[in-house]
């Protein structure tokens, strides 16, 4: 899974990146925006994988991973000339964490004016919509030009029809996230990687004092269709440098139940609507990530494309059942060891073995 940290300049993206990945990337107040992202990979702590590893004693245990990519601030006069390479890079991520600056720093606000948090959200959304509009309109112009040269296929006409819809939707100020599309329409648009189509989680970055006082702002952001979470960014950055016992004491003091690093496991999965399935054996116990609603062939393809191509069936049981009955043998006796076909919708916590032939 990969997640981009985005936002207006100096909203605290790198500070939060450091907390998430236990890195020490520079967070200089005066430095101009960097030109490349910071990248960090974090293992997803999953008690189920740990338990499966105890049961199977494999040579290798592999947890799922989240890759965080922390980008320089975009969409403001301080981030001029957004070069296309940077935008493409940002849009290649699966989901966005939008960091809003909600800590008070008069000097920063003077150097990098951003306005109140809600205004930052509006600015960012408007800019995403505008950027998508430019992309869609450019493509429409190219299609028109093609028509004049006699390039007209049903596929292009189909694309044109959807792009008109896209432009209309964007023009009304709506992000593409809210445009209902059929699967084949969605497929035709996939290559554009529109900004406003990405799943977004909003992080309100505030000072320690305000940590428990931002429910109203959270609700206002929710009313605009976003999930919002509050984080005391700099505090969490400091926290991530401590050992876990020390960190626990500080967190209790502050009334923080879980560090951002731990909170993000479920936040990331629910933002992207992802679930986990597992493969087990003597060699390896491993967690895999797929979208909720994916079928057995898609899951097989995550492991290896050969497994999807030569898919015969999935042998499958549930983690919870294994825990309850203790062994695969007992599961077989209870009829809880299932054979599933291509169309089977994989469930969170399924343990799967793919039979295939190529
Ligand atoms: N008081 C306070 N300051 C913060 C917090 N988070 C970040 N800062 C400060 O804000 C400044 C910018 O922080 P960064 O994390 O570098 O911000 P950024 O969004 O990565 O900045 P760009 O990448 O340049 O857009 C630094 O001086 C941080 O120490 C916070 O939660 N509270
Ligand atoms: Mg930064």
């Amino acid at each position: 899974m990969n997640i981009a940290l985005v936002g207006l300049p100096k909203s605290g993206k790198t500070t939060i990146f450091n907390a998430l990945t236990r890195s020490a990337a520079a967070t200089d107040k005066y430095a101009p925006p960097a030109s490349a992202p910071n990248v960090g990979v974090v293992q997803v702590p999953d008690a189920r994988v740990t338990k499966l590893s105890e049961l199977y004693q494999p040579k290798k245990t592999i947890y799922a991973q989240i890759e965080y990519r922390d980008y320089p601030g975009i969409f403001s006069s301080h981030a001029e000339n957004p070069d296309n390479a940077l935008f493409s890079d940002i849009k290649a991520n699966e989901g966005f964490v939008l960091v809003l600056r909600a800590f008070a720093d008069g000097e920063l606000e003077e150097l990098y004016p951003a306005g109140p948090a809600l205004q930052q959200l509006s600015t960012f959304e408007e800019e995403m919509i505008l950027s998508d509009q430019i992309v869609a309109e450019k493509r429409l112009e190219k299609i028109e030009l093609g028509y004049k040269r006699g390039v007209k296929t049903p596929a292009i006409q189909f694309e044109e029809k959807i792009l008109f819809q896209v432009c209309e939707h964007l023009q009304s100020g709506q992000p593409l996230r809210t445009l209902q599309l059929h699967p084949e329409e969605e497929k035709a648009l996939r290559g554009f990687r529109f900004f406003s189509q990405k799943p977004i989680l909003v992080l309100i970055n505030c000072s320690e004092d305000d940590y428990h006082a931002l429910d109203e702002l959270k609700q206002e952001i929710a009313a605009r269709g976003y999930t919002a979470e509050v984080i005391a960014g700099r505090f969490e950055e400091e926290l991530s440098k401590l050992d876990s016992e020390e960190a626990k004491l500080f967190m209790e003091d502050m009334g923080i139940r879980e560090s951002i690093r731990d909170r993000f496991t479920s936040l990331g999965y629910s933002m992207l609507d992802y679930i986990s399935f597992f493969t087990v054996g003597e060699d390896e116990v491993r967690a895999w990530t797929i979208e909720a609603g994916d079928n057995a062939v898609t899951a097989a393809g995550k492991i290896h494309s050969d497994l999807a191509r030569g898919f015969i069936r999935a042998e499958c049981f549930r983690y919870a059942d294994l825990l309850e009955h203790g062994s695969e043998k007992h599961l077989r006796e209870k009829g809880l060891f299932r054979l599933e076909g291509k169309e089977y919708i994989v469930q969170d916590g399924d343990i799967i073995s793919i039979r295939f032939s190529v």
Side-chain angles (χ1 to χ4, degrees):
M1 165 185 330
N2 91 17
I3 292 178
L5 289 153
V6 295
L8 300 175
K10 308 294 174 198
S11 53
K13 299 174 291 297
T14 303
T15 303
I16 293 171
F17 170 82
N18 286 342
L20 284 166
T21 61
R22 296 208 170 100
S23 309
T27 55
D28 188 343
K29 193 163 164 176
Y30 305 103
S35 54
N38 296 305
V39 182
V41 176
V42 173
Q43 281 196 353
V44 176
D46 187 335
R48 297 172 297 181
V49 178
T50 311
K51 184 77 198 169
L52 288 171
S53 183
E54 279 168 29
L55 287 172
Y56 286 87
Q57 299 283 320
K59 295 192 191 101
K60 261 191 300 182
T61 301
I62 303 177
Y63 292 81
Q65 291 186 334
I66 304 181
E67 181 182 284
Y68 293 103
R69 297 175 70 85
D70 161 40
Y71 288 91
I74 54 171
F75 293 150
S76 91
S77 54
H78 283 276
E80 254 168 343
N81 301 325
D83 65 282
N84 288 330
L86 178 66
F87 270 25
S88 307
D89 200 65
I90 294 177
K91 291 193 284 186
N93 290 279
E94 292 162 59
F96 292 167
V97 168
L98 171 58
V99 179
L100 303 179
R101 190 204 300 160
F103 55 87
D105 185 326
E107 195 183 15
L108 257 189
E109 186 56 29
E110 211 161 286
L111 289 168
Y112 298 93
L118 267 183
Q119 190 181 317
Q120 294 169 45
L121 178 61
S122 303
T123 305
F124 204 86
E125 185 159 69
E126 283 159 21
E127 292 290 342
M128 282 196 292
I129 289 171
L130 189 65
S131 163
D132 287 349
Q133 231 170 328
I134 293 169
V135 171
E137 280 165 9
K138 262 196 191 152
R139 177 64 191 144
L140 279 171
E141 276 169 29
K142 273 223 171 108
I143 290 176
E144 265 330 295
L145 221 69
Y147 284 172
K148 284 189 187 134
R149 292 205 200 102
V151 187
K152 197 170 200 171
T153 66
I156 293 181
Q157 284 174 293
F158 180 65
E159 189 189 335
E160 185 190 29
K161 197 188 103 212
I162 308 163
L163 283 174
F164 278 134
Q165 239 177 294
V166 161
C167 284
E168 200 181 318
H169 194 77
L170 292 168
Q171 237 139 34
S172 72
Q174 296 287 317
L176 291 176
R177 235 170 296 119
T178 60
L179 178 64
Q180 296 289 334
L181 293 165
H182 294 295
E184 66 273 22
E185 293 175 328
E186 194 156 329
K187 209 169 152 196
L189 292 184
R190 206 168 287 162
F192 293 102
R193 294 174 158 164
F194 287 116
F195 258 122
S196 68
Q197 214 173 12
K198 294 283 173 189
I200 293 191
L201 174 80
V202 175
L203 273 190
I204 306 165
N205 185 19
C206 67
S207 73
E208 293 153 61
D209 300 340
D210 287 339
Y211 185 74
H212 295 288
L214 290 171
D215 278 351
E216 202 176 314
L217 177 59
K218 230 174 122 168
Q219 278 161 19
E220 281 171 319
I221 294 174
R224 293 202 193 174
Y226 295 95
T227 305
E229 290 287 324
V230 179
I231 174 175
R234 194 186 268 172
F235 178 80
E236 289 247 11
E237 185 187 31
E238 292 305 319
L239 211 62
S240 71
K241 294 178 193 157
L242 306 175
D243 66 46
S244 56
E245 277 309 305
E246 262 182 313
K248 218 168 117 192
L249 289 177
F250 275 100
M251 276 163 59
E252 268 166 22
D253 227 33
M254 263 280 288
I256 295 182
R257 256 178 288 130
E258 233 183 342
S259 73
I260 189 68
R261 202 179 149 91
D262 291 336
R263 264 159 79 193
F264 234 90
T265 305
S266 55
L267 287 175
Y269 275 78
S270 67
M271 156 167 76
L272 296 170
D273 205 12
Y274 281 174
I275 58 168
S276 299
F277 73 94
F278 309 109
T279 51
V280 296
E282 283 171 14
D283 280 339
E284 188 182 281
V285 162
R286 181 163 182 167
W288 303 86
T289 307
I290 50 170
E291 264 179 62
D294 277 347
N295 64 23
V297 181
T298 307
K302 283 278 161 186
I303 304 171
H304 198 284
S305 56
D306 281 353
L307 269 61
R309 204 154 45 86
F311 185 95
I312 299 170
R313 60 174 185 267
E315 299 177 357
C316 181
F317 52 97
R318 293 191 203 290
Y319 171 79
D321 290 340
L322 177 68
L323 224 59
E324 190 181 336
H325 298 285
S327 74
E328 288 186 30
K329 183 169 162 280
H330 287 124
L331 290 180
R332 279 179 208 274
E333 288 163 8
K334 298 265 177 205
L336 294 169
F337 197 97
R338 294 166 290 128
L339 296 180
E340 302 284 2
K342 288 185 174 178
E343 297 306 323
Y344 170 67
I345 303 298
V346 175
Q347 305 294 309
D348 187 49
D350 273 352
I351 298 170
I352 294 183
S353 166
I354 306 290
R355 292 283 158 259
F356 71 110
S357 130
V358 282

